[in-house]
């Protein structure tokens, strides 16, 4: 008979839901989140055990080559999300609402979130900001859409910040971030990304919230971690902040493989007889 007193192995569930990530926080099981933008990568990441796949608007940088995330459109996000959703069996798929799809008008924000859920089959949306977006969060949550918040270095506000440096080092900004985190939880967010803030502040915010926090450049005491997959896998080579750990050097691996293919074509050693009809 199963031991009724032991906690469920939440990291092993067949399908990760918002309830699962909440249970992971409560059980002290760190949540692994990674970005994905296409079907093939999503299949690999999902089968490797990633809990949450974020269809990030960082697609603007790593897929489209833009300098910032601002040019990303809602239609483009929906396309990437559709590709990712087709590739998963287990992971929770969270999709970024892009710049311009929710700021300022909570009704437009709700319509954007509904499109992402309906047209892409996403499981949740993510948006950036604190007090300014709590109306949008409330409307989405009321409509049954799970929302992940995002505080700290929010890239859609890069022109406001003027720099990609660590946020909330000054006490006034830290105080505002603590307040925003509380408001997002009260508005109904199921989780919160904390990007590039001091580890001590991330630890404090994590302890003060009942919803899970997912850190990127926010130290080791958040409830989970997220990285942009192109950074973690070494596909992007020109972005080297200290919070990125490279788990592979795929850029080199791919360049070597493609170089070998080109050489084989030039020397007519590809295709061989058994690769021909
Ligand atoms: O767009 C993105 O990839 C993100 C992560 C960096 C959290 O928002």
């Amino acid at each position: 008979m199963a031991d009724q007193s032991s906690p469920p192995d939440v990291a092993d569930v067949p399908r990760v839901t918002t309830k699962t990530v909440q249970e992971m926080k409560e059980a002290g099981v760190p949540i692994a989140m990674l970005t994905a933008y296409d079907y093939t990568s999503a299949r690999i990441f999902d089968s490797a055990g990633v809990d949450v796949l974020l269809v990030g608007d960082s697609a603007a940088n790593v897929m489209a080559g833009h300098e910032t995330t601002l040019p990303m459109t809602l239609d483009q996000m929906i396309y990437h999300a559709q590709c990712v959703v087709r590739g998963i069996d287990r992971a929770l798929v969270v999709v970024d609402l892009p710049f311009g799809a929710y700021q300022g008008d909570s009704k437009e924000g709700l319509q954007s979130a509904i499109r992402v859920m309906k047209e892409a089959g996403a499981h949740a949306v993510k948006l950036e900001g604190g007090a300014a977006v709590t109306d949008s969060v409330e409307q989405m949550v009321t409509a049954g859409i799970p929302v992940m918040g995002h505080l700290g270095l929010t890239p859609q506000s890069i022109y406001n910040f003027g720099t990609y440096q660590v946020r909330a080092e000054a006490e006034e900004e830290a105080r505002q971030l603590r307040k925003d985190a509380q408001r997002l939880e009260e508005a109904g967010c199921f989780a919160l990304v904390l990007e590039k803030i001091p580890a001590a502040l991330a630890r404090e915010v994590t302890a003060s919230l009942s919803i899970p926090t997912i850190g990127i450049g926010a130290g080791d005491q958040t409830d989970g971690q997220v990285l942009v997959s192109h950074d973690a896998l070494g596909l992007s080579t020109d972005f080297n902040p200290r919070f990125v750990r490279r788990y592979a050097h795929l850029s080199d691996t791919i360049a070597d493989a493609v170089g070998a293919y080109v050489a084989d074509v030039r020397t007519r050693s590809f295709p061989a007889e058994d690769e021909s009809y």
Side-chain angles (χ1 to χ4, degrees):
M1 206 172 113
D3 176 1
Q4 299 293 318
S5 63
S6 59
D9 194 350
V10 287
D12 229 19
V13 295
R15 190 106 212 189
V16 178
T17 65
T18 56
K19 185 164 172 276
T20 315
V21 295
Q22 180 65 41
E23 288 172 347
M24 290 174 82
K25 174 172 178 123
E26 285 157 19
V29 179
I31 301 155
M33 176 160 125
L34 198 60
T35 65
Y37 316 97
D38 69 277
Y39 167 80
T40 304
S41 305
R43 272 192 85 71
I44 297 169
F45 302 165
D46 184 65
S47 63
V50 173
D51 303 305
V52 184
L53 283 179
L54 171 66
V55 185
D57 60 355
S58 50
N61 311 118
V62 298
M63 300 299 291
H66 291 295
E67 197 182 328
T68 74
T69 57
L70 274 64
M72 212 63 194
T73 68
L74 187 58
D75 284 341
Q76 288 166 339
M77 289 306 302
I78 288 171
Y79 168 73
H80 285 293
Q82 287 167 335
C83 300
V84 168
V85 166
R86 279 184 218 118
I88 59 103
D89 291 322
R90 173 182 175 273
L92 180 76
V93 178
V94 180
V95 180
D96 262 339
L97 292 180
F99 179 67
Y102 61 94
Q103 287 92 349
D105 182 346
S106 57
K107 282 209 178 66
E108 190 183 342
L110 176 61
Q111 289 314 312
S112 301
I114 287 173
R115 280 199 62 200
V116 168
M117 301 299 284
K118 240 187 202 312
E119 296 176 37
H123 308 146
V125 299
K126 176 165 86 58
L127 44 71
E128 299 180 4
V133 298
T134 50
D135 281 354
S136 291
V137 173
E138 277 169 8
Q139 288 208 24
M140 291 170 200
V141 171
T142 303
I145 300 170
V147 182
M148 180 179 278
H150 185 161
L151 293 174
L153 179 63
T154 44
Q156 291 177 15
S157 302
I158 191 58
Y159 289 118
N160 214 8
F161 296 144
T163 162
Y164 281 99
Q165 275 166 6
V166 182
R167 302 308 311 176
E169 286 189 306
E171 185 44 36
E172 197 182 330
E173 194 176 332
R175 202 177 311 121
Q176 185 61 49
L177 190 142
R178 287 186 201 99
K179 244 196 251 172
D180 284 341
Q182 288 297 335
R183 286 165 101 150
L184 288 171
E185 172 165 329
E186 282 158 24
C189 281
F190 76 93
L192 179 59
V193 168
L194 296 173
E195 179 163 354
K196 217 168 176 187
I197 62 170
L201 177 61
R203 184 180 59 227
E204 188 194 328
V205 170
T206 299
S208 74
L209 297 180
S210 51
I211 57 171
T213 59
I214 314 278
I216 174 165
D220 65 349
Q221 294 299 308
T222 49
D223 297 304
Q225 297 291 331
V226 57
L227 282 175
V228 169
S229 48
H230 284 56
D231 300 336
L233 298 175
L235 275 166
S236 13
T237 52
D238 49 359
F239 182 65
N240 293 297
R242 64 191 278 179
F243 66 78
V244 168
R245 185 178 291 180
R246 300 229 189 266
Y247 288 88
H249 298 277
L250 291 193
S251 173
D252 294 343
T253 308
I254 293 171
D256 288 350
V258 172
Y261 165 72
V262 171
D264 284 357
V265 170
R266 294 267 193 275
T267 58
R268 294 193 186 280
S269 68
F270 174 80
E273 209 175 316
D274 63 357
E275 289 163 327
S276 307
Y277 298 96

